[in-house]
Amino acid sequence: MTTPADVKDVFASLAGHRVTAQDMADILETSRNTVNLRLKNGLVAEDVIAISRGLNINPVEALVELDKLTRNEVFGFLDGGAKLLATASPEELVYRLAEDTLSNADKIELGGAARALLERDDLAARRAGAPVSDAHGSLHDDDDGVVREFDYEPGEYAADSSPNEQEEREKRGEDLID
């Protein structure tokens, strides 16, 4: 079991300056006598975290140094797929927050709204002539994404194989239709 002096030494070492029972009492918003009693009985993890944050030190380091966590537990957590907040992208943070806080109905609604945004983006891309991906994110095989000029000569292309009605009317001497 660590002594009150040991606990103060750990916090002082991590903070880089002397830490007194009064400093801890101020952070925990309690009396110095209460802090001394807690130090004597052993600080609970919640107090270690609060004091660490109040001293601007990493609470995980203090929890390890004060034998509330082992280094193997910390590294096992990180190796298990956990990601530090400092290294997570904003998208990962938002996703995790949504995953942890939204009901299933809200997740479904959010997914529908996201899908609608993607469809709107695809429509805008089509209007701009940009390549558009299919539902799987790939371009269609016959679409290389390049927009080419179309050289059109009247009468050269037709939607079907029927004769040009305008030319046929002119041959028969009929009134032309606009």
Side-chain angles (χ1 to χ4, degrees), residues 30-50:
T30 189
S31 70
R32 191 181 68 215
N33 288 339
T34 300
V35 167
N36 282 325
L37 183 60
R38 289 183 187 178
L39 287 170
K40 181 181 171 197
N41 293 330
L43 288 176
V44 295
E46 183 179 349
D47 288 344
V48 173
I49 292 168

Side-chain angles (χ1 to χ4, degrees), residues 31-138:
S31 70
R32 191 181 68 215
N33 288 339
T34 300
V35 167
N36 282 325
L37 183 60
R38 289 183 187 178
L39 287 170
K40 181 181 171 197
N41 293 330
L43 288 176
V44 295
E46 183 179 349
D47 288 344
V48 173
I49 292 168
I51 293 167
S52 298
R53 289 179 176 156
L55 296 171
N56 293 319
I57 60 177
N58 187 326
V60 176
E61 288 182 72
L63 289 166
V64 168
E65 292 299 319
L66 294 171
D67 298 323
K68 302 293 181 187
L69 289 174
T70 67
R71 291 195 189 283
N72 286 341
E73 289 170 326
V74 173
F75 288 116
F77 174 74
L78 293 174
D79 290 341
K83 192 156 192 172
L84 296 174
L85 287 177
T87 61
S89 71
E91 292 82 7
E92 290 170 317
L93 294 173
V94 169
Y95 180 86
R96 184 57 190 232
L97 184 62
E99 188 71 25
D100 290 347
T101 59
L102 295 178
S103 69
N104 285 339
D106 289 339
K107 290 175 191 173
I108 291 168
E109 184 178 335
L110 183 61
R115 197 170 302 104
L117 284 174
L118 289 175
E119 288 170 1
R120 193 172 344 151
D121 287 348
D122 262 1
L123 181 58
R126 288 177 203 270
R127 288 183 179 146
V132 178
S133 61
D134 61 17
H136 305 289
S138 61

